[in-house]
Amino acid sequence: MIRFDFTGQTVLVTGGTRGIGAAVSQAFYEAGARVLALYGGNHARAEEFAARFADPARMLVRQVDVADYAAVEAFFRELPALGGTLEVLVNNAGIRRDGIVGMLAPEDWRAVLDTNLGGTYAMSKFAVQAMMTNRYGRIVNITSPSGRLGFAGQANYAASKAGQVAFAKSLAKEVAKRKITVNCVSPGFVETEFIAELPEEQLKEYRASVPLRRFARPGEVAQAVLFLCSEEAAYITGTVLEISGGL
């Protein structure tokens, strides 16, 4: 495993206490960073996650609803007291509310777009403001091949993930002169609770569709994120790195 060094950097991970986000938060912590792991509403899981780390000064867990613009703005007003400068933002928070378009409730459409895409906008807006002062920053959106391929019953989710890619490409051009890079990591099927609720037959079908014939491990996604946030990736921006086993 490559050993990255983020000592002295502050890293903000949304959806940072479960699944892929937890793996990303832990990887940055192990690489020496000060991590702010945000979560939406599962207090028990957040407390359980925070208890894993020996140094609470380097792993701070905070509740923020990224779909709530005002809440995000308020959080960033507190950021200087929590972490000083901000070097890295990982937009990982996301939800699914599946349903075929003909039956999809308006509230399910809005909830997915507001969290997955609206949250990326709000977090990135204030993160860029914080990063521009130091003329340095890394932003990574956790998107999905569904934004490229589409999956039946997930039009809202696919639309939000495709939107994250377009958003990243546009933002990358806006902030490049400030030495801020913006990229996407696009995991395919990953062994997390996010897909664990799916029927076993559907999981078998999905697994069979992956050329490598297995799902990714969360840590494999985390290492890709760390690379894109490292000094070594300074010339990579506006791109999408797929971790999909060949989908």
Side-chain angles (χ1 to χ4, degrees), residues 3-89:
R3 298 295 179 185
F4 296 103
D5 186 3
F6 287 88
T7 302
Q9 296 193 31
T10 297
V11 176
L12 181 54
V13 184
T14 69
T17 63
R18 300 168 63 185
I20 292 172
V24 171
S25 295
Q26 181 171 336
F28 274 113
Y29 175 90
E30 292 174 352
R34 189 161 188 262
V35 181
L36 298 170
L38 305 189
Y39 71 98
N42 193 325
H43 300 289
R45 286 296 300 275
E47 291 176 0
E48 176 188 332
F49 174 78
R52 300 180 195 171
F53 302 93
D55 187 354
R58 285 204 302 111
M59 179 58 75
L60 285 77
V61 175
R62 294 289 185 276
Q63 182 181 14
V64 178
D65 179 3
V66 299
D68 184 339
Y69 182 91
V72 172
E73 185 174 23
F75 170 78
F76 273 91
R77 282 198 297 266
E78 299 176 12
L79 186 62
L82 291 174
T85 59
L86 177 65
E87 283 73 33
V88 176
L89 167 65

Side-chain angles (χ1 to χ4, degrees), residues 188-203:
F189 301 109
V190 184
E191 293 176 345
T192 68
E193 62 190 58
F194 196 65
I195 65 169
E197 65 192 45
L198 297 174
E200 183 58 33
E201 285 303 313
Q202 190 171 4
L203 289 174

Side-chain angles (χ1 to χ4, degrees), residues 171-222:
L171 181 58
K173 291 178 171 63
E174 295 176 2
V175 298
K177 290 182 179 179
R178 296 283 183 159
K179 297 183 179 179
I180 300 170
T181 66
V182 188
N183 292 289
C184 295
V185 167
S186 179
F189 301 109
V190 184
E191 293 176 345
T192 68
E193 62 190 58
F194 196 65
I195 65 169
E197 65 192 45
L198 297 174
E200 183 58 33
E201 285 303 313
Q202 190 171 4
L203 289 174
K204 288 181 180 179
E205 181 181 337
Y206 284 160
R207 192 176 291 108
S209 73
V210 179
L212 286 180
R213 291 297 189 268
R214 69 174 178 88
F215 295 158
R217 295 180 291 273
E220 292 175 309
V221 180

